[in-house]
C-alpha cells in the first residue's frame, strides 16, 4: 500500500508523554484514560485498516464538561487531538498519529430527551445510529439516516462525516435530520448551535458542522429529527441482464420524478457474495439487481410500483420479485446491509465512495469495470443508486504489496472519474486521509484556500484532526 503521508510527529510532545498523561489524569476519571500499549492498540486505526498509528493516549470523557477540559488542556499544551466516534470510518477519518490524543465519545451514550409532539430527540454523541430508532419505534417513529454500519456507528461520527444510508434518497442524509448540536471548541468553550426547531437565525453554522470531520470542534450532544413510520413498506427486487440497463432504469425512474424510499444497486459479484451470506432470495441468473422500496398505503405502493415496473420493462428487466412478508423484506435488507462484511469473508477490499449525476450511471458503471479490469483486479458494486452514491468494492490481496498498490490506484482513478462526469469525491464516507490528496482534483487553489481559512478560524494551529481532509502542502492559517 502506498504511504499516505501523515504530519511528522512532534518529538517534543512525545518526550513529554508522561507529563501529558499526568495532566489528563487530573481531568477525567481513571477509567476514562487509556495509556498502555495494549489498550491503545484498538484505537490505532479505524475501518481503513491499511493505515495505523499508535496514539499518545486515549481519553473517553463521560460529560461535555470533561471534553471541554481535555480540549482546553490540549490547546494549551499544543497537542493534536483526533476526535473518534465508533471508529467505523472507511476513509481513515479517525486514524490518530503518534503525538496526538484521541478523544472518543463512546461513554457519552445517553438518550436525553424524546419529544414526540415536536418530533425530536436529544441524544449524546456516542449513542449508536440504530439505538435512536430503537428508542422511539414502539411509538411508531424512526430516525431516517441508516448507514450500513448503523448497529455500531455513533451519532457523533455520523455528524462528522455527514453519513447517509439506503433510505437517504427520500429522507436525506445526516445534515437533513440534525436540528442542533452541542459543540465544544478547541478553546474548551461549550456552544449550542441550532436546537429543537426547524431553522435558526443567522449563519448556517449547523450546516458547516455537519461533514466537518472533527476539524471544527467535538460534538457531544445532538438534537435529531424523528419521523412517523409509514403505514407500510415494500422492497422489490428487479433483475437486469446488464449493469448498464439497470443504471439506465435508475436514471429513468428518477427522471420521471419518482422518489422511492430506497433504490440500491448490486452487480453480479455483489449479488453472489451477499446471497451466499444472507440467503436473501436474490435472483442468481441476472447481472445486476436493484432493490427498490416504496412505502405508504397498499394503494399508494401499488400505484408507485406500477409506474416503476413499467419503466423497468422499458429497460429490459428480466426479474421482478416482490417481498411477500416482513420476514422476506428483512432478508432482502439483511443481504444489502451485510454487503461489506460479507465481501470481507472472501477477499480484502477497498470500499470507495464517490457520487455522480444519476444520468451518468450507465457510462460510469462501464468505465469502472474497465478501470478495475485494467489493473487486473475484480470489483463488486453495491451502492445507493437513487442519489448516485457509488460504493465499488475493489478486491485484492492485502499481503501482496503490488496488488495493494493497484487497488489503491484503481480507486483513485474511479474517484477522478466521478469528478470528471460532474460528481464529487465523496457521498457519505468523508475525505479523511483516503481522498485528502485528491481534493485538488475537485477544487482549485482558491476554493481550497477559502475552505481552509474557514477551518482555521476554529483552529488556527491545526490541532484538530490535522492529518485529514486538506492536502498537507499549502495549508493556510486564520
Amino acid at each position: 500500500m502506498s504511504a499516505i503521508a501523515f504530519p511528522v510527529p512532534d518529538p517534543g510532545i512525545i518526550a513529554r508523554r508522561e507529563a501529558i498523561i499526568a495532566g489528563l489524569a487530573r481531568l477525567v476519571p481513571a477509567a476514562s484514560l487509556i495509556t498502555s500499549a495494549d489498550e491503545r492498540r484498538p484505537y490505532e486505526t479505524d475501518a481503513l485498516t491499511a493505515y495505523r498509528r499508535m496514539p499518545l493516549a486515549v481519553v473517553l470523557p463521560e460529560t461535555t464538561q470533561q471534553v471541554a477540559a481535555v480540549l482546553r488542556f490540549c490547546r494549551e499544551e499544543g497537542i493534536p487531538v483526533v476526535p473518534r466516534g465508533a471508529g467505523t470510518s472507511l476513509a481513515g477519518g479517525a486514524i490518530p498519529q503518534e503525538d496526538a490524543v484521541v478523544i472518543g465519545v463512546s461513554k457519552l451514550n445517553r438518550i436525553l430527551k424524546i419529544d414526540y409532539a415536536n418530533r425530536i430527540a436529544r441524544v449524546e454523541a456516542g449513542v449508536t445510529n440504530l439505538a435512536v430508532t430503537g428508542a422511539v419505534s414502539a411509538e411508531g417513529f424512526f430516525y431516517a439516516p441508516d448507514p450500513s454500519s448503523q448497529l455500531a456507528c455513533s451519532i457523533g461520527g455520523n455528524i462528522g462525516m455527514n453519513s447517509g444510508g439506503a433510505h437517504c434518497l427520500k429522507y436525506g442524509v445526516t445534515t437533513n435530520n440534525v436540528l442542533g448540536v452541542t459543540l465544544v471548541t478547541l478553546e474548551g468553550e461549550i456552544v449550542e448551535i441550532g436546537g429543537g426547531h426547524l431553522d435558526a437565525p443567522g449563519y448556517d453554522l449547523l450546516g458547516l458542522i455537519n461533514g466537518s470531520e472533527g476539524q471544527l470542534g467535538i460534538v457531544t450532544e445532538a438534537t435529531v429529527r424523528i419521523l412517523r413510520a409509514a403505514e407500510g413498506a415494500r422492497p422489490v427486487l428487479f433483475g437486469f441482464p446488464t449493469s448498464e440497463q439497470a443504471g439506465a432504469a435508475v436514471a429513468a425512474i428518477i427522471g420521471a420524478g419518482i422518489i422511492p424510499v430506497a433504490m440500491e444497486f448490486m452487480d453480479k459479484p455483489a449479488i453472489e457474495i451477499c446471497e451466499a451470506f444472507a440467503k436473501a432470495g436474490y435472483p442468481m441468473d441476472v447481472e445486476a439487481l436493484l432493490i427498490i422500496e416504496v412505502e405508504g398505503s397498499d394503494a399508494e405502493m401499488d400505484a408507485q410500483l406500477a409506474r416503476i415496473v413499467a419503466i423497468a420493462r422499458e429497460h429490459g428487466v428480466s426479474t421482478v420479485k416482490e417481498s411477500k412478508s416482513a420476514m422476506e423484506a428483512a432478508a432482502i435488507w439483511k443481504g444489502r446491509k451485510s454487503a461489506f462484511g460479507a465481501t470481507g469473508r472472501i477477499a480484502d477490499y477497498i470500499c470507495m465512495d464517490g457520487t455522480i449525476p444519476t444520468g451518468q450511471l450507465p457510462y460510469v458503471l462501464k468505465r469502472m469495470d474497465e478501470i478495475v479490469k485494467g489493473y487486473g483486479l475484480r470489483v463488486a458494486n453495491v451502492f445507493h443508486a437513487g442519489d448516485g452514491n457509488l460504493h465499488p468494492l475493489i478486491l485484492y490481496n492485502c499481503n501482496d504489496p503490488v496488488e495493494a498498490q493497484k487497488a489503491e490506484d484503481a480507486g483513485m482513478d474511479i474517484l477522478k472519474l466521478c469528478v470528471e462526469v460532474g460528481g464529487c469525491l465523496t457521498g457519505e464516507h468523508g475525505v479523511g486521509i483516503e481522498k485528502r490528496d485528491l481534493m485538488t482534483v475537485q477544487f482549485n487553489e482558491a476554493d481550497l484556500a477559502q475552505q481552509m481559512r474557514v477551518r482555521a478560524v476554529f483552529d488556527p494551529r491545526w490541532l484538530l484532526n490535522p492529518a485529514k481532509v486538506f492536502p498537507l502542502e499549502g495549508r493556510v492559517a486564520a
Side-chain angles (χ1 to χ4, degrees), residues 441-458:
V441 174
Q442 178 87 61
F443 302 104
N444 62 33
E445 188 175 336
D447 293 332
L448 282 174
Q450 182 60 34
Q451 292 179 56
M452 286 189 282
R453 279 194 289 269
V454 172
R455 184 214 185 283
V457 169
F458 291 81

Side-chain angles (χ1 to χ4, degrees), residues 5 42 53 75 178 188 236 268 329 357 369 444 446:
R53 295 288 188 278
R75 177 180 176 273
V178 172
V236 182
K268 182 73 168 181
D369 188 57
N444 62 33

Side-chain angles (χ1 to χ4, degrees), residues 407-424:
E408 189 167 290
D409 291 344
M412 296 304 103
D413 286 349
I414 288 172
L415 292 177
K416 290 175 183 176
L417 171 66
C418 291
V419 176
E420 176 188 312
V421 300
C424 61

